[in-house]
């Protein structure tokens, strides 16, 4: 089978110099695994971290990709919930399933947790014609959801659902600020907040603002403007301020978000694409009783909840573009620059 492989790092982001399509053996399932044909896979920023070899070196030779959807072609002897022909999507949070956190329903807090397609390998990720995963790391895809939509949703829908529903405990009628609404997690964040009948203010670059409203945002603000937070404050004033700030941007916009939260408000964060060394005015935390919540990945049950609503057409994947394996370098460069990017980029064999 063919797969997108690299066997050295590219700290300068020269992906063409390391990525190539190679022929590797097809997987056979272990007793607890399913093998499925990959019909679509989606890019994530951890692909870039992997190719850079930072912040953690990944196993080499490496196949990236944490999101894959397709149909099952083989099952191991101990598999009980899946059969050949089932339509499935990956749940990339791989945990031990026996520690206190896992048995408490917090598999995302497992200290032995790894991300499939990022930390796994050698040669074990989504960008291959066939792949394999433990039975506990795949979920069934509703018949009304395409493979493209499922692949585009896998990690980002899970992350967004866990941030808003699992961590921030979103409630109907709240006012929610979605930072970077044009990203994969941001696009799902907007839709989840609207599913809960919230007032949604989304931010993005000027070329994405109309798209954010099409996704369901009630208001769209250019967060590249120096006074972006003042505009958000005026919009949120009739609602009493921001109840939940949904962040993955990090350093450049962190403290401004804190100032926008109402008393007892919540900032939930899953990343720091602009940097991790954020300035924090502590007065906005202790005096206002602010909740700051970290969030990463989520449970398989949360992924299945999100897929349920996708099946009901209440949430949809936003797919920006589709590339072949042979054009993987171009696809990753587009994700890195983010220019004009709204939603997910897919790779297909």
């Amino acid at each position: 089978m063919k797969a997108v492989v690299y066997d050295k790092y590219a700290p300068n982001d020269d992906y063409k110099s390391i990525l190539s399509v190679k022929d590797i053996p097809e997987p056979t399932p272990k007793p607890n695994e399913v093998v499925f044909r990959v019909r679509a896979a989606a890019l994530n920023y951890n692909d870039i971290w992997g190719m850079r070899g930072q912040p953690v070196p990944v196993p080499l030779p490496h196949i990236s990709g944490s999101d894959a959807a397709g149909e099952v072609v083989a099952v191991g002897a101990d598999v009980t919930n899946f059969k050949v022909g089932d339509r499935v999507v990956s749940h990339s949070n791989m945990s031990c399933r026996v520690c206190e956190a896992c048995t408490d329903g917090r598999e995302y807090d497992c200290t032995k947790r790894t991300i499939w397609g990022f930390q796994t390998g050698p040669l074990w990720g989504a960008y291959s014609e066939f792949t394999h995963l433990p039975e506990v790391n795949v979920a069934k895809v509703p018949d009304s959801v395409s493979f493209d939509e499922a692949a585009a949703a896998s990690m980002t829908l899970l992350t967004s659902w866990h941030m808003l529903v699992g961590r921030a405990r979103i409630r109907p009628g709240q006012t929610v600020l979605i930072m970077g609404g044009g990203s994969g997690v941001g696009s799902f964040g907007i839709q989840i907040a609207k599913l809960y009948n919230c007032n949604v203010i989304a931010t993005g670059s000027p070329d994405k603002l109309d798209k954010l409203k099409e996704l369901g945002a009630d208001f769209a603000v250019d967060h590249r403007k120096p006074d972006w937070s003042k505009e958000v404050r005026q919009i949120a004033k009739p609602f009493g301020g921001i109840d939940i700030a949904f962040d993955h941007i990090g350093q450049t916009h962190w403290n401004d978000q804190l100032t926008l939260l109402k008393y007892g408000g919540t900032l939930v964060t899953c990343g720091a694409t602009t940097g991790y060394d954020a300035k924090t005015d502590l007065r906005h935390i202790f005096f206002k009783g602010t909740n700051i919540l970290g969030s990463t990945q989520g449970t398989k049950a949360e992924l299945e909840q999100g897929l349920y609503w996708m099946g009901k057409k209440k949430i949809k994947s936003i797919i920006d573009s589709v590339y072949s394996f042979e054009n993987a370098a171009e696809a990753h460069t587009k994700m890195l620059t983010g220019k004009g990017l709204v939603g997910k980029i897919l790779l297909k064999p």
Side-chain angles (χ1 to χ4, degrees), residues 141-160:
V141 176
D143 291 338
S144 58
V145 178
S146 71
F147 290 133
D148 286 12
E149 292 169 323
S154 175
M155 185 182 289
T156 46
L157 172 60
L158 171 65
T159 299
S160 302

Side-chain angles (χ1 to χ4, degrees), residues 1 3-6 24 27-28 30 32-36 58-66 90-92 94 114-128 130-135 137-138:
M1 69 172 185
V4 180
V5 179
Y6 61 92
I24 64 172
T28 55
K30 296 175 183 176
N32 68 331
E33 288 186 334
V34 301
V35 174
F36 61 98
V58 301
L60 296 175
H62 198 74
I63 297 174
S64 288
S66 301
S90 57
H91 169 54
S92 57
M94 306 189 75
T114 56
I115 305 300
W116 175 63
F118 173 41
Q119 296 163 295
T120 56
L123 299 178
W124 191 21
Y127 304 152
S128 52
F130 296 88
T131 194
H132 59 106
L133 278 170
E135 179 181 18
N137 285 101
V138 291

Side-chain angles (χ1 to χ4, degrees), residues 157-171:
L157 172 60
L158 171 65
T159 299
S160 302
W161 191 274
H162 183 59
M163 288 175 73
L164 288 173
V165 181
R167 296 290 283 146
R169 304 295 183 187
I170 191 171
R171 299 192 304 274

